[in-house]
Amino acid sequence: MDTSKHPLQEDADIKIADGSFEPVADADSVEGEETARELQREKENGNLNRARRLGAIMADGVSAIEGDSPAGDGVLMTQRRILLAFAVEMGLKRYLNDLLAETAQSVFYDTLRETAPAFFEDLQESNAFSFYYLCVREGGEAEKKVGDTFAALCGLGGNEACARTGEELYGRFIEQVRHYSEVLAFVPAEESGA
């Protein structure tokens, strides 16, 4: 005699919810919905296109930098461009919201990968950003610390002229991000219905 239950009878033990079940909204889905709304707002007001344009402009600026002498020291040239790429990242984070900064950074690095592949490879292999981030996170005279770090990464630690050059480059490129952000006329969040 077969004592096994029929497949339909096996489910008879299972209790069925009464329809009053409401899924609990988790933080990730709420955050995802807010990001989607923000993305739509920034797309509609043109800020996403502005961020893409800003990323491309800044990549062109970094890849065009040759320094004082085009035939100069390769290490100095590479470190100069790495510092400028870092300054662009800091400027984007300072002057744009997170979504727009990420968009601009993505275009910035994609453009560098295309227009300056050798430098992009150097940038990927470098650990200089870690040192520069420490300078910024420590606060207090961050620009001077960035300049000193630049000189050290160039193999010229303690060289005041090189440190000043690093400090000036860092400040100048952050200022360029601010300038182009104003020229591109990003729509502030309060004007776009946020």
Side-chain angles (χ1 to χ4, degrees):
M1 175 172 165
D2 184 14
T3 59
S4 65
K5 292 183 179 180
H6 186 275
L8 292 177
Q9 290 175 329
E10 288 179 10
D11 291 340
D13 304 3
I14 299 173
K15 294 187 180 184
I16 308 284
D18 66 358
S20 64
F21 174 76
E22 292 183 26
V24 176
D26 64 22
D28 288 341
S29 68
V30 171
E31 186 176 306
E33 289 173 16
E34 177 54 36
T35 300
R37 281 192 296 274
E38 181 183 3
L39 180 64
Q40 188 60 36
R41 260 191 322 270
E42 298 295 17
K43 185 177 181 182
E44 287 173 358
N45 68 21
N47 280 351
L48 275 182
N49 285 333
R50 289 178 184 91
R52 289 183 188 106
R53 181 72 183 125
L54 179 58
I57 289 168
M58 297 313 299
D60 288 345
V62 169
S63 62
I65 293 293
E66 292 186 23
D68 299 331
S69 59
D73 183 0
V75 171
L76 183 61
M77 173 69 66
T78 299
Q79 289 303 323
R80 182 183 299 240
R81 286 181 171 169
I82 290 171
L83 172 60
L84 296 179
F86 178 76
V88 168
E89 268 203 25
M90 292 294 96
L92 293 172
K93 289 177 182 178
R94 183 181 296 176
Y95 296 111
L96 301 178
N97 68 37
D98 290 344
L99 178 68
L100 296 177
E102 288 173 18
T103 300
Q105 285 175 1
S106 178
V107 171
F108 175 74
Y109 289 114
D110 287 347
T111 303
L112 285 178
R113 182 183 303 120
E114 189 175 307
T115 61
F119 166 64
F120 182 79
E121 187 67 30
D122 289 341
L123 186 59
Q124 295 301 303
E125 294 174 6
S126 174
N127 59 2
F129 270 36
S130 298
F131 295 113
Y132 290 135
Y133 275 121
L134 287 173
C135 296
V136 171
R137 287 185 184 134
E138 288 176 356
E141 297 187 341
E143 288 183 1
K144 180 178 179 346
K145 291 176 185 175
V146 165
D148 292 341
T149 300
F150 170 73
L153 290 169
C154 291
L156 299 170
N159 182 312
E160 289 298 319
C162 187
R164 267 193 313 278
T165 297
E167 186 176 343
E168 290 166 6
L169 287 170
Y170 178 70
R172 187 172 78 203
F173 261 69
I174 287 180
E175 177 58 23
Q176 282 191 10
V177 172
R178 185 203 58 75
H179 169 76
Y180 285 116
S181 295
E182 288 180 3
V183 167
L184 291 169
F186 282 87
V187 176
E190 59 273 2
E191 290 180 26
S192 64

